[in-house]
Amino acid sequence: MDFGVVLQTNPPAARTVQLAKLAEAHGFSHVWTFDSHLLWEEPYVIHSAILAETNRVTVGPFVTNPATRDWTVTASVFATLNEMYGNRTICGIGRGDSAVRVTNGKPTTMAELRESIHVIRELANSRAVQHRGATLQFPWSRGSELEVWVAAYGPMALKLTGEVGDGYILQLADLDIAAWMIKTVKDAAAAAGRDPESLAFCVAAPMYIGDDLAHQREQCRWFGGMVGNHVSDIVAKYGHEGGGVPQALTDYIEKRTGYDYNTHGRADNNHVDFVPDEIVDRFCVLGTAEQHIDKLKALAELGVTQFAGYLQHDNKEETLRVYGETVIPALSAHVTAKA
């Protein structure tokens, strides 16, 4: 299992770069950042600084979208960073949440998401692509390589992921839901004639190492609110029952009344009281190092190939240290033993 860290690009940017360097030093393979250009600093500028000050981590947005950024510009950013730093980028993409909703926009359609994935991937892999009636290619790009991983929750998005994604991003660490969603993506990949095992499967959730579970819950309760934004759309479309969405993913949002994106993804989010402790425990990875190891081993058994931990809490450095010294080695030994 690979390990990633998910950072917000809050000022000062040097702090984000510092955490990225620390993550690399502790054995993390990926550094991801939020991508909402109004709520936080521009991620791609900071990606360049991270890549310049690290040696091996892969860097990308978690996640970008086809609505707020021109697809060809997005592809050009990746191809340029790859030329500068040696194919160390990755693209996480979804239909759009905070970046579009903060401007009263709406997530893109499945058709738009599918087409954007194709255009971005082809251009950022130094290949030609048909787009808007024209054949496009970067004449300056040679040997650029980019994988596109798709973030999804609902049945249609999961199907699309299996059909076209290089990887799947699931933003919660509930074992039952992860099992259902991974199977759904793999089934879609197989039905499309693809090898399901060729896809990467990334589970992302807040990771907090410590002994005070009550405090950890309060620091990570924001995550249930963030996930609820996606779930509310799915429930509105498919209903609470019979729509192919696990009931555990829908029940907790019944008391959800609204959401303020100005505190999106922050530990001090003041409107997530509807998220119960049970959901925080199921969706996040909390507790001692041993408890982290046990849950991550269970996720690995489901086919998860990367765990990406959010660090939006008050124990960033210590969590990274314990992961580097204890958790990551334990999971590496677990995988080796299985092989």
Side-chain angles (χ1 to χ4, degrees):
M1 179 185 282
D2 289 333
F3 287 85
V5 62
V6 186
L7 307 172
Q8 281 182 345
T9 53
N10 295 305
R15 170 67 166 153
T16 306
V17 177
Q18 178 192 47
L19 288 170
K21 293 168 65 177
L22 190 60
E24 179 178 71
H26 285 306
F28 288 78
S29 62
H30 288 67
V31 172
W32 305 90
T33 71
F34 284 51
D35 177 12
S36 290
H37 58 288
L38 287 171
L39 298 177
W40 304 292
E41 293 183 314
E42 174 57 36
Y44 294 121
V45 176
I46 297 174
H47 290 178
S48 187
I50 292 172
L51 288 163
E53 296 194 32
T54 55
N55 297 306
R56 59 173 183 79
V57 287
T58 299
V59 180
F62 209 86
V63 297
T64 193
N65 71 87
T68 58
R69 297 185 183 276
D70 181 273
W71 308 347
T72 62
V73 175
T74 297
S76 182
V77 168
F78 288 116
T80 300
L81 291 174
N82 283 342
E83 188 278 323
M84 293 173 68
Y85 301 109
N87 288 334
R88 289 171 54 206
T89 66
I90 190 168
C91 178
I93 194 168
R95 294 176 59 211
D97 180 43
S98 58
V100 296
R101 295 183 194 271
V102 76
T103 59
N104 292 323
K106 294 181 179 180
T108 60
T109 66
M110 292 296 170
E112 290 170 327
L113 178 59
R114 182 185 297 268
E115 185 180 359
S116 71
I117 292 169
H118 177 64
V119 170
I120 292 169
R121 182 164 49 204
E122 293 306 293
L123 287 174
N125 280 276
S126 303
R127 297 190 291 259
V129 68
Q130 295 292 318
H131 181 50
R132 296 179 179 173
T135 300
L136 306 178
Q137 187 169 10
F138 299 137
W140 46 266
S141 180
R142 298 287 185 276
S144 178
E145 297 177 4
L146 180 76
E147 289 190 355
V148 181
W149 293 9
V150 186
Y153 290 103
M156 295 300 294
L158 293 170
K159 180 175 180 293
L160 179 149
T161 302
E163 292 171 346
V164 303
D166 296 308
Y168 168 49
I169 293 171
L170 170 59
Q171 290 165 297
L172 56 83
D174 180 272
L175 296 175
D176 294 334
I177 296 171
W180 178 82
M181 291 191 170
I182 290 170
K183 182 180 184 302
T184 302
V185 172
K186 287 188 174 183
D187 288 348
R194 306 179 72 198
D195 176 6
E197 302 306 320
S198 68
L199 276 68
F201 290 91
C202 175
V203 159
M207 58 177 181
Y208 193 129
I209 294 279
D211 298 317
D212 188 344
L213 184 56
H215 178 72
Q216 292 179 56
R217 285 170 174 158
E218 291 310 309
Q219 285 285 300
C220 299
R221 198 173 303 276
W222 63 268
F223 186 66
M226 186 182 82
V227 173
N229 296 326
H230 303 283
V231 174
S232 63
D233 286 345
I234 297 168
V235 173
K237 182 172 183 178
Y238 296 101
H240 283 272
E241 298 179 0
V245 179
Q247 191 168 347
L249 191 59
T250 63
D251 286 350
Y252 83 99
I253 67 164
E254 290 182 351
K255 295 182 181 180
R256 179 181 184 269
T257 58
Y259 193 82
D260 180 5
Y261 277 94
N262 289 310
T263 54
H264 183 64
R266 297 184 184 276
D268 60 355
N269 191 315
N270 59 6
H271 51 278
V272 291
D273 291 342
F274 71 94
V275 182
D277 288 350
E278 178 189 4
I279 287 295
V280 180
D281 293 348
R282 291 180 64 167
F283 283 12
C284 302
V285 184
L286 309 177
T288 63
E290 291 72 23
Q291 290 171 309
H292 282 241
I293 291 167
D294 288 344
K295 188 163 188 177
L296 292 171
K297 284 181 178 178
L299 287 168
E301 294 295 328
L302 296 177
V304 173
T305 60
Q306 181 178 144
F307 172 66
Y310 289 89
L311 272 187
Q312 284 67 59
H313 55 66
D314 60 3
N315 198 35
K316 297 178 178 65
E317 283 85 356
E318 179 66 4
T319 294
L320 289 174
R321 182 190 69 81
V322 177
Y323 259 74
E325 294 181 2
T326 305
V327 178
I328 293 176
L331 267 293
S332 298
H334 175 69
V335 172
T336 302
K338 281 187 63 182

